[in-house]
Amino acid sequence: MSGPALLIGILLGYLVFLFLVAALAERFGERFMTPQLRTTTYVLAISVYCTAWTFYGSVGLAANRGLEFLTIYLGPALVALLWPTVLRKLVRVAKEQRITTISDLVASRYGKSGPLGTLVAALVVCGMIPYIALQLKAVSASFRMMIASDSVLANFDPSVIVAVTLGFFGILFGARNLDFTRQQTGLMTAVAVESLVKLVAFILVGAFVTWGLFDGFRDIFTRASAHPEWTSLLTLDAPPTASYGRWTAMLLVSMAAVMLLPRQFHVLVVQSPTARDVHTAAWAFPLYLLAINIFVLPIAFAGLLSFGDATSADSFILWLPLAQGARVVAVIVFLGGFSAATAMIVVDSLALSKMVANDIVLPFVVRHREFAEVYWAGLAATRLGVIVVLALGLLWARLEGNQFLLVEMGLLSFIAVAQCAPAVFAGLYWRRGSRRGAFIGISAGFAVWFYTLILPALVRDEVLPVSLLTAGPYGVGWLRPTALFGLDGLDPLAHGVFWSLLLNVAGYLVGSVLSTQDADERAQAAAFVGVTEKTEGPRVPAILSVPEIERLMHLYVPEDEADAVLRETFAGKSAGELTVPELLEARVRLERVLAASLGGAAARYIIEDRFTISTGEAAQLVESFQAMQRSLRTSEHLLASVVESVEDCIFTTDVEGRLVSLNRAGQRLLAVRADALVPALTCLDLLDDGERKRIGPALARVTTEGRAWRSAVVGVTRGGQRFPAHLALACVFDAQRKIVGAVGVLRDLTEQVATQQRLIQREKLASLGEMAAGVAHEIRNPLGGIKMATRLLASRETPDDRISQEMAQSIVSGIAEIESIIADLLDYARDTRLDLQEYPLARILEDVVGGCRGDAGQRGVEVRATQIDPEIVAMVDGPRLRQVFANVVTNALEATERQPRARVEVRLFRRGTNAVVEVRDNGVGMAPEQREKVFLPFFTTKPTGTGLGMAIVKKIMDLHNGEIEIDSLPGGGTAVRLVIPRAAQAAAAPAG
Amino acid sequence: MLLVWPLLTVANRPVLVAGIPALVLYLFSVWAVLVIVLAWAGRRARREDVP
């Protein structure tokens, strides 16, 4: 046997080694820890799952119950299939919410409920204490085996020293501060190294036994098969091996436990470097489990073959090398088992102490002590919690004795923690899961766990009478702990798992469905499930002032971290510059920072307690807010109502021109359904194909340059029907004046265009009527003369040649007058086409002035051509223009006839790009109403004339793209200016 | 499904295959395949998973 002093030296040396590894990792980890190394450390640290229970208990279980031990490792390997989704989500939520323990997770999910956190923490701690006791027992037992029974240290129990040392280790590298979400590099590295040590040790002893003591797997299994009493250990469902029911129950429990055991949650979720590392852990961890289990059966059967029975099967792994005198191998095995136990003890005690501190002690402290003391109270509670948890473990180990196999104790702890599974996993995906449901489910599950599993264990330990199991409490048979409600025949463990989880799930579902979530629960459910929470109801989150946030941050967070968080939160803004949303964001950050140290429930309590306005003020704030919301909603409805009631098509687009909304009129006009809008149609789809090229760039300018745009367009319905329209587009800006799209109004002009055409038609008919009346009027006079002359000729019996001659002459004259009227009328009505040529206007004008001088002389009117610009040339029809000039000059002569010093002046001059011919007289002039009608056919103020002259002048001038200006006053003379485009402009004008 | 009743009964026989109990061989084979599948899927997912 190994020398006791040497063994103690090795044990202490190993502990020193662990301290050294943790200290070095803590100091240099940031510098040397590459992402790959961090991931490897993470995967190995997860393997803290394999404890002394694995090291010693698996062999013991295999020797007693065959393959059943594999469920403890197959379950986690199976559930790893779900890690890329479930664990990844759990890690994301935990990091967002700064969650540090499983009780904190449950409390946070269900509205940061303090009582629920306390319940889970208390129950999980109770469930885990036996598990820690199991590790300490393993250390003691293995140490005793290693030293000689006659040694002076035969009665020495190293578990106390180990517990104290590990407590110190945990405080130093885990509970240095309150924030467990920080990377505990030293602790994680030490745990990873321990995982390596135990794996190497197990494989080494496995190889030693398989190939050193036997001749390989075949040899061991063949020899074992020769013993009928052990053959059944290689199958299932045949005593003493597990039934299928027990097998399935253990698989199920292991699947939950690998994620929910306090140490597993701490390493797997809280200390996860990144959510991506979950992908690596999902295959590397099952591989580790596979490797560490390969030699369990060979060692178990080697032990049975060597020692004949399974009485001390938990110790086979040590007894086999010791029996062969292989002391080095035995020491390595001892170190492997020791490392498995210590890693579990350190991480579990830390996780449990954090649960005790955050969910049991701190909720009490924050309600009854000054806030300034909370940080130190929390830190003290956490550190003290480590000691207390270890002390309770030691106490349990001493009290419990040796009745249980290691594996039994471990299994009960697994089933206890699995009671959190429904609340945790349903809480991640089912939004309706409520606090009351979780409370009922977990309480029911733990109660049934205690009743169906712990009570029978106590009976086996002879603490309680056997009649409890055989007859039931007070003789009530259907309440027998191992046959609850008459369910008999199941394996006791499968029976306990079945009833505890069934009632747990049922309680959770019924409680959730029948209860109503409050605002906190709804908000947290939304955060966990991953959907956006609609704010409803009257609850207003606490808004803290900036000084209050700074004060709380410095109270509960170390100085340097507090400053860093505050800098990041306020982004350099002063208190006055922060908006309400920014203050709300700051409050959320503060709560999460506090949650990392104190737990979600305590953090919420502290924040709520510092709510800076009274309940009455909060109610007023809520009322104001709701009134504002109502007002906004009313305005919104009014605006929507206006838009919907307008008969024009109103639409909005995004910056790409895609239709975002279309009012009802638009939907009717374009025959489009509202649900067919996005993203099927763009603004251009409202227009005819031909218009799109024109409108496209304009729309682009609207949304890129912010310009408004309007134009007549041709719209098109979805059915392809075209219609005349007017489109107006304007840019839409957001609050930051950033362009977010455009708003357009498309007005259907079909009715308007039809009305316009009807009006034009009516005007044409009216003109025709007026013209017909004028023609009738003009023709009637000569017809009257003709009629009278004809009657006179017809009434004479003896014709008088002279009179007959006069009558005939009168008839001819009348006919000539009618012909003249018809000629003028035809001239006016004819579709005149111009023969445009370059003409010097002075030449045409001089011909006209020269031609009328004789007539002017007879009328006593002086005609003067002054300021005639001989250089002016225009593209005109010379004879037509001569007709225009002659008509205007003749009108002037007639207007000045019999006026004193009658005078007509003619001028030709330039005005910009035009030529102007001005005919000014000092005649009778015109009243304004006469001037307005001067261009109407058959309108005349003269006793003679058809009234078509000025109408023809207007028509010819229009054909030349010219204009006529008339200045006239009654008795003040008249000036008529004929404005004609000069050569360059006239050439460009269309002829006819 | 491969690791619970009824599929488990297929391998649940007291015989040795190449010197290894049939059920043991079956369970460890399923386990190894599971690790390989998870490793393959994990490598793909990790590549696609933006940190």
Side-chain angles (χ1 to χ4, degrees):
Chain A
M1 301 292 169
S2 305
L6 178 64
L7 195 63
I8 290 175
I10 290 171
L11 196 148
L12 293 177
Y14 180 76
L15 288 173
V16 170
F17 167 70
L18 278 186
F19 272 83
L20 202 61
V21 166
L24 288 173
E26 196 81 18
R27 185 172 177 77
F28 301 109
E30 289 301 317
R31 198 185 305 171
F32 297 109
M33 196 69 92
T34 61
Q36 289 80 8
L37 189 56
R38 196 175 285 280
T39 304
T40 307
T41 305
Y42 173 60
V43 171
L44 286 171
I46 295 170
S47 306
V48 71
Y49 181 74
C50 299
T51 62
W53 186 30
T54 303
F55 218 81
Y56 302 110
S58 290
V59 174
L61 188 59
N64 282 283
R65 302 181 68 94
L67 297 175
E68 184 180 310
F69 76 98
L70 277 176
T71 54
I72 309 298
Y73 310 97
L74 275 173
L78 279 178
V79 84
L81 279 168
L82 302 177
W83 280 7
T85 51
V86 178
L87 179 60
R88 203 167 184 284
K89 184 169 190 178
L90 198 56
V91 168
R92 180 182 62 76
V93 168
K95 287 193 182 299
E96 277 175 8
Q97 301 283 326
R98 307 289 292 265
I99 287 165
T100 51
T101 61
I102 188 70
S103 55
D104 200 14
L105 174 82
V106 175
S108 290
R109 164 58 182 84
Y110 297 99
K112 305 199 173 179
S113 163
L116 190 56
T118 306
L119 173 75
V120 174
L123 295 175
V124 170
V125 168
C126 289
M128 286 298 114
I129 293 299
Y131 204 172
I132 291 177
L134 181 155
Q135 309 301 316
L136 293 170
K137 279 180 70 176
V139 171
S140 297
S142 57
F143 182 81
R144 284 209 184 91
M145 287 166 62
M146 291 292 291
I147 60 173
S149 57
D150 55 350
S151 164
V152 290
L153 294 173
N155 293 320
F156 173 71
D157 186 353
S159 58
V160 178
I161 293 177
V162 168
V164 171
T165 310
L166 294 180
F168 179 63
F169 183 89
I171 290 169
L172 189 61
F173 295 105
R176 187 178 293 169
N177 59 55
L178 269 182
D179 186 357
F180 273 33
T181 61
R182 289 184 183 184
Q183 280 294 308
Q184 296 165 331
T185 309
L187 178 72
M188 291 287 282
T189 307
V191 172
V193 167
E194 293 206 281
S195 291
L196 265 183
V197 169
K198 67 193 173 199
L199 179 66
V200 169
F202 208 107
I203 289 176
L204 189 71
V205 72
F208 169 78
V209 169
T210 306
W211 289 287
L213 305 184
F214 291 86
D215 194 16
F217 293 115
R218 181 190 292 267
D219 181 33
I220 293 174
F221 289 124
T222 307
R223 288 202 214 178
S225 300
H227 294 264
E229 70 275 24
W230 298 334
T231 308
S232 62
L233 296 177
L234 296 173
T235 58
L236 285 178
D237 210 28
T241 58
S243 63
Y244 287 123
R246 183 180 171 96
W247 172 272
T248 307
M250 287 180 69
L251 270 182
L252 202 65
V253 166
S254 304
M255 289 167 79
V258 74
M259 294 171 73
L260 302 181
L261 282 167
R263 67 176 186 283
Q264 288 304 119
F265 188 82
H266 184 76
V267 175
L268 194 61
V269 178
V270 180
Q271 289 294 311
S272 166
T274 65
R276 289 180 78 211
D277 291 311
V278 167
H279 296 302
T280 305
W283 65 266
F285 178 58
L287 180 64
Y288 182 98
L289 297 180
L290 177 69
I292 208 166
N293 277 288
I294 281 178
F295 291 106
V296 171
L297 274 174
I299 293 171
F301 281 105
L304 288 172
L305 289 166
S306 301
F307 305 116
D309 63 49
T311 312
S312 304
D314 284 347
S315 313
F316 280 173
I317 195 167
L318 260 180
W319 282 126
L320 282 167
L322 285 175
Q324 299 300 317
R327 292 177 184 172
V328 175
V329 176
V331 169
I332 291 172
V333 171
F334 173 73
L335 275 183
F338 185 69
S339 67
T342 52
M344 183 276 177
I345 291 169
V346 168
V347 183
D348 230 26
S349 61
L350 261 180
L352 291 176
S353 69
K354 187 67 177 167
M355 290 166 76
V356 169
N358 282 7
D359 293 301
I360 296 175
V361 177
L362 280 177
F364 178 79
V365 169
V366 294
R367 283 170 172 79
H368 298 95
R369 301 287 292 268
E370 285 299 314
F371 290 109
E373 299 173 31
V374 170
Y375 181 82
W376 297 110
L379 197 58
T382 307
R383 291 174 176 175
L384 195 63
V386 174
I387 307 296
V388 170
V389 165
L390 289 173
L392 287 173
L394 273 173
L395 188 65
W396 184 281
R398 294 285 171 88
L399 290 178
E400 195 273 331
N402 292 315
Q403 286 87 341
F404 274 167
L405 282 172
L406 290 179
V407 72
E408 288 289 343
M409 292 167 66
L411 275 177
L412 295 185
S413 298
F414 269 39
I415 300 166
V417 83
Q419 302 307 321
C420 297
V424 169
F425 295 118
L428 281 179
Y429 294 97
W430 189 42
R431 207 171 157 189
R432 283 278 285 122
S434 74
R435 181 187 303 153
R436 182 168 295 177
F439 214 97
I440 294 171
I442 291 172
S443 303
F446 268 104
V448 177
W449 165 79
F450 184 85
Y451 190 76
T452 58
L453 294 165
I454 298 296
L455 286 187
L458 294 175
V459 170
R460 283 197 295 276
D461 264 4
E462 297 174 359
V463 177
L464 294 172
V466 180
S467 62
L468 187 68
L469 299 183
T470 53
Y474 307 105
V476 182
W478 58 273
L479 282 180
R480 281 180 294 156
T482 50
L484 196 59
F485 304 125
L487 183 65
D488 211 347
L490 266 183
D491 173 88
L493 185 133
H495 172 268
V497 170
F498 173 78
W499 279 118
S500 62
L501 285 181
L502 179 72
L503 294 178
N504 187 334
V505 170
Y508 177 74
L509 291 177
V510 172
S512 295
V513 169
L514 296 183
S515 63
T516 306
Q517 292 175 318
D518 64 22
D520 280 337
E521 284 184 81
R522 285 198 302 274
Q524 286 302 102
F528 274 62
V529 175
V531 294
T532 308
E533 165 74 347
K534 286 180 185 170
T535 52
E536 53 189 36
R539 191 180 184 284
V540 179
I543 302 173
L544 301 178
S545 65
V546 172
E548 195 67 27
I549 289 173
E550 289 175 340
R551 202 178 75 79
L552 288 174
M553 195 71 88
H554 282 108
L555 260 179
Y556 297 115
V557 180
E559 197 72 17
D560 53 341
E561 189 189 345
D563 289 338
V565 173
L566 288 170
R567 268 197 307 276
E568 190 188 341
T569 304
F570 296 147
K573 291 185 179 177
S574 66
E577 293 173 322
L578 289 169
T579 62
V580 171
E582 284 169 332
L583 279 172
L584 275 173
E585 173 65 22
R587 171 238 192 245
V588 171
R589 278 177 177 240
L590 170 65
E591 188 174 338
R592 287 186 178 165
V593 169
L594 294 188
S597 299
L598 310 175
R604 169 57 56 90
Y605 184 85
I606 289 170
I607 294 287
E608 295 292 340
D609 194 72
R610 302 323 253 179
F611 196 0
T612 51
I613 60 177
S614 68
T615 311
E617 288 168 330
Q620 282 179 13
L621 187 63
V622 168
E623 182 52 40
S624 304
F625 183 69
Q626 287 176 337
M628 196 166 67
Q629 275 189 321
R630 281 196 296 273
S631 170
L632 280 172
R633 236 176 262 140
T634 306
S635 302
E636 191 180 323
H637 287 156
L638 183 64
L639 184 62
S641 169
V642 168
V643 169
E644 290 301 324
S645 60
V646 167
E647 282 302 313
D648 293 333
C649 159
I650 299 177
F651 60 87
T652 56
T653 75
D654 61 13
V655 286
E656 304 293 331
R658 286 187 291 266
L659 284 185
V660 176
S661 65
L662 184 66
N663 69 345
R664 270 200 289 272
Q667 291 165 25
R668 280 196 306 273
L669 176 66
L670 301 170
V672 176
R673 289 199 326 272
D675 57 0
L677 280 184
V678 184
L681 295 176
T682 70
C683 169
L684 296 177
D685 289 320
L686 306 176
L687 304 174
D688 183 43
D689 285 346
E691 297 281 26
R692 290 179 189 167
K693 284 182 186 169
R694 185 166 69 91
I695 306 297
L699 177 64
R701 278 197 295 279
V702 168
T703 51
T704 54
E705 300 171 18
R707 291 184 186 174
W709 180 89
R710 62 182 61 210
S711 174
V713 295
V714 178
V716 63
T717 67
R718 290 289 85 204
Q721 191 178 348
R722 288 167 177 74
F723 58 89
H726 180 270
L727 175 62
L729 287 169
C731 193
V732 177
F733 299 93
D734 65 8
Q736 283 76 42
R737 295 293 300 166
K738 184 185 166 194
I739 297 172
V740 293
V743 58
V745 179
L746 184 70
R747 172 168 290 175
D748 180 10
L749 298 180
T750 304
E751 277 296 314
Q752 202 170 326
V753 167
T755 305
Q756 205 170 11
Q757 284 173 343
R758 281 197 297 274
L759 278 174
I760 290 170
Q761 188 67 18
R762 200 173 295 163
E763 280 179 10
K764 280 183 180 174
L765 288 172
S767 298
L768 192 62
E770 283 180 18
M771 192 180 291
V775 169
H777 176 72
E778 292 300 322
I779 289 177
R780 187 175 291 155
N781 289 337
L783 277 179
I786 292 168
K787 185 179 176 184
M788 191 185 304
T790 308
R791 279 184 183 164
L792 278 172
L793 282 173
S795 66
R796 288 180 176 275
E797 293 178 357
T798 306
D800 182 328
D801 287 346
R802 192 182 59 81
I803 294 174
S804 298
Q805 193 67 35
E806 283 179 6
M807 292 301 109
Q809 188 62 42
S810 175
I811 290 168
V812 170
S813 173
I815 290 171
E817 193 176 343
I818 289 170
E819 282 177 344
S820 169
I821 290 167
I822 291 171
D824 281 351
L825 191 61
L826 287 174
D827 198 16
Y828 175 73
R830 168 184 305 135
D831 183 15
T832 308
R833 292 194 174 274
L834 298 181
D835 178 17
L836 293 176
Q837 292 178 20
E838 279 195 1
Y839 272 95
L841 293 182
R843 204 176 76 196
I844 303 172
L845 201 55
E846 280 165 0
D847 283 354
V848 171
V849 170
C852 71
R853 280 190 197 281
D855 184 26
Q858 288 176 2
R859 296 174 191 262
V861 181
E862 182 193 358
V863 177
R864 287 193 301 187
T866 58
Q867 197 188 337
I868 301 294
D869 186 338
E871 304 295 326
I872 297 177
V873 175
M875 289 290 291
V876 295
D877 184 330
R880 294 283 178 192
L881 204 60
R882 184 177 291 112
Q883 185 184 353
V884 168
F885 292 167
N887 216 324
V888 172
V889 171
T890 301
N891 282 345
L893 291 176
E894 289 174 352
T896 52
E897 195 176 15
R898 289 188 293 276
Q899 293 290 317
R901 285 188 289 177
R903 188 176 68 247
V904 173
E905 282 184 38
V906 180
R907 298 164 62 204
L908 171 61
F909 54 90
R910 299 166 192 255
R911 185 201 287 167
T913 57
N914 297 317
V916 180
V917 174
E918 184 183 71
V919 178
R920 180 183 292 275
D921 65 60
N922 59 351
V924 294
M926 288 182 286
E929 61 274 15
Q930 291 174 324
R931 198 178 58 202
E932 284 174 8
K933 297 178 180 175
V934 76
F935 296 119
L936 293 178
F938 302 109
F939 174 78
T940 181
T941 57
K942 297 179 292 186
T944 59
T946 60
L948 285 169
M950 284 308 285
I952 292 170
V953 165
K954 177 78 169 63
K955 179 180 174 184
I956 294 173
M957 285 300 289
D958 286 345
L959 291 172
H960 281 88
N961 289 329
E963 289 178 7
I964 302 172
E965 299 169 358
I966 298 176
D967 295 334
S968 185
L969 284 172
T974 301
V976 177
R977 283 181 293 278
L978 306 167
V979 183
I980 305 163
R982 285 191 286 133
Q985 287 71 33
Chain B
M1 294 298 293
L2 291 171
L3 297 177
V4 291
W5 185 88
L7 284 184
L8 211 52
T9 56
V10 175
N12 189 19
R13 298 173 195 289
V15 293
L16 299 183
V17 178
I20 311 287
L23 189 56
V24 175
L25 192 63
Y26 171 78
L27 290 172
F28 276 92
S29 301
V30 171
W31 199 340
V33 169
L34 185 69
V35 170
I36 291 166
V37 169
L38 283 166
W40 175 76
R43 283 174 70 88
R44 278 191 58 180
R46 202 179 158 88
R47 271 202 302 272
E48 292 164 7
D49 199 354
V50 179

